[in-house]
Structures are given as C-alpha cells and as structure tokens.
Amino acid sequence: MAGRRARTGRGWDASPPRAGADDPSRTGADPSRTGADPSRTGADDPTRAGGPRPRRGRRGRADEDAPGQTEPTPRDEGEVAREICLRQLAVRPRTRAELAGALARKGISDEVSAQVLDRYDEVGIIDDAAFARAWVSSRHNGRGLARRALANELRQRGVDGEVASEALGELDEETEAQTARALVDRKLRTARGEPDAVFRRLVGILARKGYPPGVAIRAVKDALAAQSAEAAEFAEQIDADALADAEGERG
C-alpha cells in the first residue's frame, strides 16, 4: 500500500501542471501579447510616439527623392524679347520706339532690347519709314485726317521728325482739300439746323481732323453754296480769308 501511495501520491504525480499555471503565453508574460513589443506599442517608434516624421513631397515621396528633381532652366532674355516683339507685330505694324517701350515694360534690359531691335532693323521686320508712309495713307483715306493730325500721331509713335516729314510730303495740299470737301459733303447729308450753326459745326469737325482754318472754311462754304438757295445765300456772306486769319490768330 505504501508503495502504491508513493506512486500515486503528490510526490509521484507526473501529470502536467494546470493550464496557465507556469505558461507565460497564458499568463500574459509573452511580450507580444503584453504590449512589450515596440513594433506594436510604438514605444521606440517615433512615427507612433509623436516624434518627427519624414517630410514628403506632393506625391507622398520622402525628401530623400527631392535632390533628384530638376528645376526648369531659365529662358534666354533675347528669346523672350523676340517673342514679345512678334506678338506686338502680329496685331499691327509697330515702330522701333513702340517695340522698345513694350520690351521695357516687360523688364527687358536696354542692351538686349537694342540687340534684338537692331537685328529686326537689318532684316526689315521693322521699318519706320515704311510704317510712316502706310500710316499716312491709311489714316488719311480711312479717317480723313489732315497732315497736322497725322504728324501728331506719328510723333506719338516715336517716328523721327525727318522720317515723318517725308511720309507727309506724299500728301499734297490739293489732295488734302479734296478730302476735306468730301468729308463736308458726307456730313451735310444728315446735318440739321440753320446754315450758320451747320457751318460752325462742320468747320469744327475739320479742325479736329487737323485741317488748317483756311482749308476748312473754304470747304464748308463751297459745300453750303451747292446745297440749297438758303445755304448759298449764307455762304455768299462768308469772307473765308478773313475768318481764316482770325482762326489762325486764335490758334
């Protein structure tokens, strides 16, 4: 009996311990289950513990990729200047002074501007003399402007005085007088009022277009004389020379 008890007693009992008694995986001693694993707890992970994170680009790549990116190459100033000039010339012909002003407003240096414009002069892309001739012809025939008004417009566009004079010389006095008369005839078709009021209004229109007082007064007087008997009677009383002298003194 004693031997049997020894085999079956507590000292001889070889059965395994109760579940969870000494098994760290059951008692919570396993670091992977107790939170001791830094990869799970974030204890040593700066991205989880509030530490600094690597900066990333717009597409989520870290800054270590940034050195591989290349900045756009700055454009040549001369190329930019040429593009500005061509855009200006695509709208209408320009004088050298007009193009120089456009380049200056865009911040092009004087040196580069002069180089580009000199080259355009050489190849005939800009030609102030041709510009002045075309301007005089177009503005006189299209708008009825006289030489004085045309000279002012060319000066505003930077055309040299001598170049402008050569272009204006192609518009002689006879052509100017004919144009003035044609303008008056066209305005008389719709003019209303007493002859004296119509006379003053038409002379003022011609004056604003640059016609000298003598040319304007004679053109309106002749047109009124051919319009009607009443207008002709009024026109007979007009001393064109005296009025022209008076207007010239006031001007």
Side-chain angles (χ1 to χ4, degrees), residues 43-56:
D44 297 324
D45 184 357
T47 65
R48 290 180 174 270
R53 296 174 178 268
R55 297 173 58 189
R56 297 183 176 275

Side-chain angles (χ1 to χ4, degrees), residues 4-227:
R4 186 174 181 181
R5 282 195 301 270
R7 286 195 300 270
T8 60
R10 297 172 81 90
W12 290 88
D13 190 356
S15 61
R18 291 190 306 270
D22 297 316
D23 185 358
S25 65
R26 308 286 289 183
T27 62
D30 185 357
S32 64
R33 298 183 65 84
T34 60
D37 185 357
S39 65
R40 297 179 62 85
T41 64
D44 297 324
D45 184 357
T47 65
R48 290 180 174 270
R53 296 174 178 268
R55 297 173 58 189
R56 297 183 176 275
R58 274 184 288 181
R59 297 187 179 181
R61 288 182 291 186
D63 282 350
E64 55 266 19
D65 293 337
Q69 300 175 356
T70 58
E71 294 294 332
T73 305
R75 297 181 63 193
D76 177 70
E77 189 178 15
E79 180 184 354
V80 175
R82 288 188 290 273
E83 288 187 2
I84 293 170
C85 289
L86 292 176
R87 285 198 299 269
Q88 292 284 315
L89 292 168
V91 178
R92 66 165 175 81
R94 307 276 179 174
T95 64
R96 180 184 177 112
E98 287 180 309
L99 293 177
L103 294 176
R105 289 191 295 273
K106 295 295 185 179
I108 303 299
S109 66
D110 292 342
E111 181 181 1
V112 172
S113 176
Q115 291 174 354
V116 171
L117 296 179
D118 286 345
R119 179 56 179 164
Y120 281 8
D121 272 332
E122 292 175 6
V123 300
I125 293 178
I126 54 177
D127 184 342
D128 282 4
F131 173 91
R133 291 191 298 269
W135 188 270
V136 168
S137 176
S138 173
R139 300 286 284 175
H140 177 74
N141 295 322
R143 299 289 302 277
L145 298 184
R147 285 176 294 182
R148 186 170 61 183
L150 293 169
N152 184 51
E153 289 187 344
L154 292 175
R155 183 170 55 253
Q156 291 175 348
R157 282 153 183 78
V159 177
D160 178 76
E162 184 176 348
V163 173
S165 295
E166 291 179 1
L168 292 168
E170 299 182 6
L171 179 60
D172 56 36
E173 293 181 1
E174 183 179 355
T175 301
E176 196 172 53
Q178 291 173 352
T179 304
R181 174 60 187 273
L183 283 171
V184 173
D185 287 341
R186 187 163 65 246
K187 293 293 184 180
L188 274 176
R189 297 189 191 112
T190 56
R192 299 291 183 270
E194 295 298 322
D196 59 337
V198 173
F199 173 80
R200 289 193 301 270
R201 187 160 63 247
L202 293 178
V203 169
I205 290 174
L206 293 180
R208 288 190 292 274
K209 288 183 177 292
Y211 289 91
V215 174
I217 291 170
R218 289 186 184 91
V220 178
K221 177 181 178 178
D222 293 345
L224 287 173
Q227 185 189 36

